[in-house]
């Protein structure tokens, strides 16, 4: 039996010790940055800079957060959690829990593809991916047609000094005065833009390349080898995970009740609707995370194909 990941040893240190050291080092860096930012805050030039660039980029306003944004955000976070789980399963599983074969005559078999048999873990990941692509496409279309894209896509270069100003304000522990119901600050704008318009498409494009369906002898293998796609696809998971940790920490630290009301309650008040809906959402994600075991995945996979051990 292989050792559990937490006890695996790298260069004499257990993985747990390395994670602990990494987290400790990150905390020290953060404290140093806070001290520097608080020192800088008192300088006259810095005050002028923050007054000139208070934090919201030009043209970023669009009124309110409608329910469709919250609903798609929920589906995204639900699927994202399970995509991370199933991706890690693919990465770590040496003995697949089962295999899945498309039922009937493989429609693509005549075109020199590999046999359409994949592991249960791959079936789980790819099923989530296809749903995520549908959710993502709906989000893109509604974002662009509703005009809400101005919140996420920078249209003025002043997004850069405004984002710097926000970094300085957060690090010096002066929360920016803003209403994210009307517009995100420049740092949020850049982070959301990068996640939605850069990271998600890269993850999808490299993931699609990893599919078993590509013909073995296709020209694509020469120009875009599968190894290159895997070398990019795996780290995109870490970038998503890093985004989520910082994102959720900032959502909670910068006015949790108001923020959760925006995204989980489609409202801008001080009720507890957003907190309650978010708690239900998180419970659903946690439930699905623990339920996603071979004993449940096998019958689900059997609905769309043949499952063999
Ligand atoms: C439990 C997990 C999560 C919570 C509690 C959460 C909460 C929120 C909240 C409150 C906002 C609005 C912020 C504001 O009004 O200032 C927001 C926006 C956003 N979140 Fe999350 N989030 C979570 C997970 C995720 C994940 C997994 C992703 C993507 C990987 C994500 C991507 C985004 C994006 C792109 C926006 C801006 C969307 C728009 O307004 O059009 N979030 N989130
Ligand atoms: C449309 C989106 C996506 C598609 C089509 C896709 C597809 C795939 C496929 C086919 C594999 C199997 C590779 C193999 O058999 O070796 C895979 C692996 C993986 N995927 Fe995705 N994926 C997508 C999005 C994501 C996302 C959003 C994440 C995480 C946030 C993720 C995390 C992973 C991980 C960790 C692996 C294992 C890679 C390895 O073993 O090195 N995927 N993906």
């Amino acid at each position: 039996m292989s050792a559990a990941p937490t006890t695996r040893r790298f260069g004499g240190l257990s993985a747990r010790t390395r994670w602990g050291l990494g987290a400790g080092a990150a905390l020290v860096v953060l404290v140093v940055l806070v001290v520097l930012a608080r020192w800088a805050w008192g300088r006259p030039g810095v005050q002028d800079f923050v007054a000139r660039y208070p934090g919201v980029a030009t043209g970023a306003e669009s009124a309110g957060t409608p329910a469709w944004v919250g609903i798609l955000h929920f589906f995204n976070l639900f699927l994202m959690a399970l995509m991370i789980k199933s991706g890690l399963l693919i990465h770590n599983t040496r003995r697949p829990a089962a295999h899945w074969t498309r039922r009937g005559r493989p429609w693509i078999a005549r075109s020199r593809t590999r046999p359409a048999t994949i592991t249960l873990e791959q079936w789980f990941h790819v099923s989530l991916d296809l749903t995520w692509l549908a959710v993502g496409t709906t989000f893109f279309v509604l974002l662009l047609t509703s005009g809400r894209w101005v919140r996420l896509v920078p249209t003025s270069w002043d997004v850069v000094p405004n984002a710097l100003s926000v970094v300085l304000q957060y690090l010096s522990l002066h929360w920016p005065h803003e209403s994210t119901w009307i517009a995100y600050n420049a740092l949020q704008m850049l982070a959301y833009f990068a996640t939605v318009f850069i990271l998600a498409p890269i993850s999808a494009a490299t993931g699609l390349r990893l599919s078993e369906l590509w013909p073995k002898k296709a020209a694509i293998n020469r120009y875009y080898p599968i190894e290159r796609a895997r070398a990019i696809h795996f780290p995109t998971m870490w970038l998503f995970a890093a985004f989520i940790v910082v994102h959720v920490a900032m959502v909670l630290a910068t006015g949790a009740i108001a923020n959760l009301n925006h995204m989980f309650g489609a409202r801008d008040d001080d009720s507890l609707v957003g907190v309650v809906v978010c708690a239900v959402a998180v419970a659903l994600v946690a439930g699905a995370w623990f339920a996603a075991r071979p004993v449940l995945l096998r019958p689900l996979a059997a609905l769309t194909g043949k499952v063999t051990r």
Side-chain angles (χ1 to χ4, degrees), residues 65 84 87 97 107 147 157 214 226 233 248 252 283 293-294 298 300:
T65 292
I84 292 178
W107 52 272
W157 281 110
W214 293 98
I226 201 158
H233 193 67
V248 175
L252 298 181
R293 291 159 194 272
R298 272 192 221 109
L300 276 180

Side-chain angles (χ1 to χ4, degrees), residues 199-240:
L199 190 55
I202 290 180
S203 185
T206 51
L208 289 172
R209 177 62 188 97
L210 290 180
S211 162
E212 295 284 329
L213 288 178
W214 293 98
K216 256 191 189 133
K217 289 194 181 145
I220 192 168
N221 294 328
R222 217 171 327 131
Y223 300 112
Y224 183 15
I226 201 158
E227 293 72 26
R228 192 179 299 163
R230 188 170 287 123
I232 300 172
H233 193 67
F234 189 60
T236 60
M237 182 203 62
W238 288 114
L239 292 178
F240 269 120

